[in-house]
Amino acid sequence: EDQVTQSPEALRLQEGESSSLNCSYTVSGLRGLFWYRQDPGKGPEFLFTLYSAGEEKEKERLKATLTKKESFLHITAPKPEDSATYLCAVQAFGGATNKLIFGTGTLLAVQP
Amino acid sequence: DTGVSQNPRHKITKRGQNVTFRCDPISEHNRLYWYRQTLGQGPEFLTYFQNEAQLEKSRLLSDRFSAERPKGSFSTLEIQRTEQGDSAMYLCANNEQFFGPGTRLTVL
């Protein structure tokens, strides 16, 4: 069964303190791995898609990397406005749809 | 703002009542998904449309749930005889990049 596990469940950082969020996955065949940011009471906001091991993508203070078993979201010198829940999801080959299977997220709090 | 809109944003109902949610996607994307998200969890897949055809339904979608996408444009999700366990955020997505703001359902 396809599965996504995110760690840690919650992370508290000081402003400027860099860290990484982990997303471990088990999938029959990976079509894509997605990262989202979600603010309270809102829908997920798309950040990145990664398709193959070794791929990296960056956006401002965020950098996502992918291996055959996990993905990391690196946050460099975070600011309080980076506080949110970060969701990881995988999309598998096969089947009638490209549905996403989500992890439970990492709640990030960045303190000034 | 992703361009995907959902209405209503909030719905409070009594157990046993029927509710209907609407999703208006970005017109040029033909893939439309419904997900359900409870507090502290990631979104869970409910159903998928390609244009007007409903191609997959999750086993989470009991016979009290029905979804439609007439003419491949907007979509509706109806829940009949609501139960307290139906309380959640219902999210609509136009392919993988564009999620709507969600409809928060509270069943009393």
Side-chain angles (χ1 to χ4, degrees):
Chain A
E1 183 180 346
D2 300 335
Q3 193 170 354
V4 177
T5 302
Q6 291 188 246
S7 61
E9 290 185 3
L11 180 62
R12 181 172 293 180
L13 299 174
Q14 291 295 125
E15 185 172 1
E17 180 187 1
S18 301
S19 189
S20 297
L21 313 182
N22 177 263
C23 171
S24 298
Y25 64 90
T26 304
V27 66
S28 50
L30 182 69
R31 179 189 293 268
L33 185 140
F34 297 77
W35 282 99
Y36 299 86
R37 169 195 172 120
Q38 187 173 31
D39 293 303
K42 297 188 176 181
E45 175 188 342
F46 171 75
L47 294 173
F48 305 108
T49 307
L50 302 169
Y51 295 102
S52 57
E55 189 175 359
E56 299 182 353
K57 289 193 176 175
E58 289 188 63
K59 178 181 179 180
E60 296 180 352
R61 296 177 292 282
L62 301 176
K63 178 180 177 180
T65 61
L66 181 64
T67 72
K68 289 186 177 180
K69 293 183 178 181
E70 57 190 351
S71 177
F72 291 93
L73 184 66
H74 307 278
I75 304 176
T76 301
K79 298 182 178 182
E81 54 261 42
D82 294 322
S83 298
T85 295
Y86 290 85
L87 295 166
C88 169
V90 296
Q91 191 178 59
F93 282 111
T97 75
N98 294 325
K99 66 184 178 187
L100 295 169
I101 299 166
F102 282 85
T104 54
T106 293
L107 177 60
L108 175 65
V110 182
Q111 296 180 316
Chain B
D1 184 1
T2 62
V4 178
S5 61
Q6 292 188 245
N7 288 286
R9 294 294 313 278
H10 302 276
K11 178 70 177 179
I12 300 174
T13 191
K14 293 183 179 179
R15 188 177 54 183
Q17 298 295 305
N18 299 344
V19 294
T20 300
F21 310 141
R22 177 175 170 130
C23 171
D24 286 275
I26 302 167
S27 60
E28 64 266 29
H29 295 290
N30 63 4
R31 302 200 303 273
L32 188 145
Y33 301 83
W34 284 97
Y35 290 86
R36 180 172 68 185
Q37 186 177 25
T38 54
L39 198 62
Q41 300 297 313
E44 293 178 293
F45 170 77
L46 291 179
T47 191
Y48 166 71
F49 289 87
Q50 182 153 335
N51 298 316
E52 67 275 11
Q54 188 175 21
L55 297 187
E56 184 172 351
K57 292 171 61 174
S58 165
R59 60 182 182 276
L60 293 174
L61 217 65
S62 75
D63 56 6
R64 296 185 298 106
F65 288 71
S66 62
E68 295 182 340
R69 192 183 183 194
K71 301 179 183 178
S73 56
F74 70 93
S75 178
T76 59
L77 178 68
E78 181 183 14
I79 309 174
Q80 296 183 328
R81 305 181 303 281
T82 52
E83 301 174 355
Q84 288 185 324
D86 297 331
S87 295
M89 174 79 89
Y90 289 84
L91 294 162
C92 171
N94 221 177
N95 72 33
E96 296 79 25
Q97 281 81 30
F98 306 107
F99 276 80
T103 294
R104 168 73 64 187
L105 173 66
T106 302
V107 182
L108 301 176

